[in-house]
Amino acid sequence: PDLAAETAQRRPALVLSTLLLVAGVLAGLSPIVGIVRTADGSPVTASMPAAFVAVLPGVLAVVLAVRRPSWGLAATAGGGIVGLARLVADLAVVTELDRISRPELFAETTDRARPFGPGAGGWVLLLADLLMLVAGVLAATRLAPLVFSSTDPRPDDLFGGPGPSA
């Protein structure tokens, strides 16, 4: 019975962990699309290997989902927390471009590049962060019934019922 339940959980775990991986790939590709537009039209550079660090939670989640679905769901839920943190941090990419320094996403190549304007890659980055968050929330909702079961002891079983009333 446990093997059948694990097999039934494998597909959703793989789908959600793959969704997390796709979000990481989108975040990594966002500098190619162009995070910013420069004032003088000059090109910007980016550290592409650093941008692809966002792929690592998805890779871990897929590997764990293949091995054990519940582990993959847990890793995907954790990746959703990373997505929430990235979303908050990456909001500045479209709102405060001249105040941030993000060499993994963009770095100007000329002195006249500022002021920056938001590019399509910034919106792709925010979409990727939101996708990470959604995958994490869906994984957490799938994982919750596996963690909390009706056969677990209730608080009254552990600590005793209410005392006699006086």
Side-chain angles (χ1 to χ4, degrees):
D2 287 308
L3 182 61
E6 186 173 306
T7 304
Q9 295 167 359
R10 180 162 278 119
R11 182 179 172 139
L14 283 172
V15 167
L16 291 172
S17 61
T18 302
L19 192 61
L20 184 68
L21 179 62
V22 167
V25 169
L26 280 174
L29 291 175
S30 63
I32 293 173
V33 176
I35 299 290
V36 296
R37 287 179 286 116
T38 58
D40 65 353
S42 63
V44 293
T45 63
S47 174
M48 292 306 293
F52 275 99
V53 168
V55 173
L56 295 178
V59 170
L60 175 67
V62 168
V63 168
L64 290 175
V66 167
R67 175 76 176 119
R68 200 122 191 241
S70 59
W71 293 355
L73 288 172
T76 304
I81 294 171
V82 170
L84 177 61
R86 286 182 54 91
L87 182 65
V88 170
D90 291 342
L91 278 175
V93 170
V94 294
T95 59
E96 301 179 46
L97 289 168
D98 287 326
R99 294 183 180 190
I100 63 172
S101 176
R102 299 284 300 267
E104 79 277 13
L105 299 176
F106 67 92
E108 66 262 23
T109 56
T110 67
D111 291 336
R112 298 176 312 279
R114 292 183 188 252
F116 293 130
W123 297 105
V124 170
L125 184 65
L126 290 178
L127 175 69
D129 296 341
L130 190 61
L131 189 59
M132 279 184 178
L133 178 60
V134 168
V137 167
L138 291 175
T141 58
R142 282 250 186 221
L143 185 63
L146 301 175
V147 174
F148 300 110
S149 112
S150 61
T151 60
D152 287 340
R154 296 184 319 248
D156 288 346
D157 295 340
L158 297 174
F159 302 110
S165 58

